[in-house]
Amino acid sequence: MLGLGELELKVMNVLWAAEKPLRVRDVLERLPGERKLAYTTVMTVLDHLHTKGWANRAKDGRAYRYTPARTREEAGAGLIREVLESSGDADSVLLHFARSASGHESRLLRRALDRREPPENGS
């Protein structure tokens, strides 16, 4: 995901899959991969994710418990919005995407647009 390093994305995937807030140790135990990471590495990554606004944390005794600041879907939509706003030509980006969308993606977009509330000013 745009704005996240490889390890940050792995940690976010653990947070998104969790059903409850996780401590650093919980995240460490759930991380996939052959090599075992240091506790302090995972703690630093979670701190960075919190600073970047990707994760929330709440004090639990001397430790923190972490949760995602937004769902995976909200994060994805936010990244699309960021790309559109930074592109300098959102119309062209959207048109190019629309031409490259699969049939399934096109149907989803049409359904979402059909359900959208009309703008108040009529534009």
Side-chain angles (χ1 to χ4, degrees):
M1 248 184 212
L2 201 63
L4 291 180
E6 183 180 341
L7 185 53
E8 289 175 324
L9 182 56
K10 286 180 180 180
V11 169
M12 285 305 303
N13 284 332
V14 169
L15 293 179
W16 281 321
E19 295 179 8
K20 62 182 183 172
L22 300 177
R23 296 170 300 153
V24 174
R25 176 112 11 243
D26 302 325
V27 173
L28 178 62
E29 291 170 356
R30 295 174 188 205
L31 279 171
E34 295 96 41
R35 68 182 180 112
K36 191 71 172 164
L37 296 170
Y39 178 93
T40 54
T41 301
V42 176
M43 183 173 65
T44 300
V45 170
L46 283 162
D47 186 59
H48 288 163
L49 289 169
H50 176 260
T51 301
K52 289 179 171 183
W54 283 86
N56 295 323
R57 67 183 179 194
K59 199 79 161 150
D60 183 15
R62 292 179 31 193
Y64 287 108
R65 290 195 181 264
Y66 291 86
T67 57
R70 54 195 153 193
T71 65
R72 183 189 313 268
E73 295 77 14
E74 290 168 334
L79 294 173
I80 292 169
R81 170 66 44 216
E82 201 175 304
V83 167
L84 290 173
E85 290 173 355
S86 66
S87 72
D89 189 0
D91 291 356
S92 292
V93 172
L94 281 171
L95 289 171
H96 181 75
F97 176 77
R99 284 191 296 270
S100 68
S102 70
H104 175 71
E105 291 165 342
S106 294
R107 286 187 296 279
L108 286 173
L109 287 169
R110 279 191 185 95
R111 195 171 359 162
L113 290 170
D114 288 343
R115 292 180 182 163
R116 202 173 79 174
E117 295 281 329
E120 289 183 28
N121 63 4
S123 57

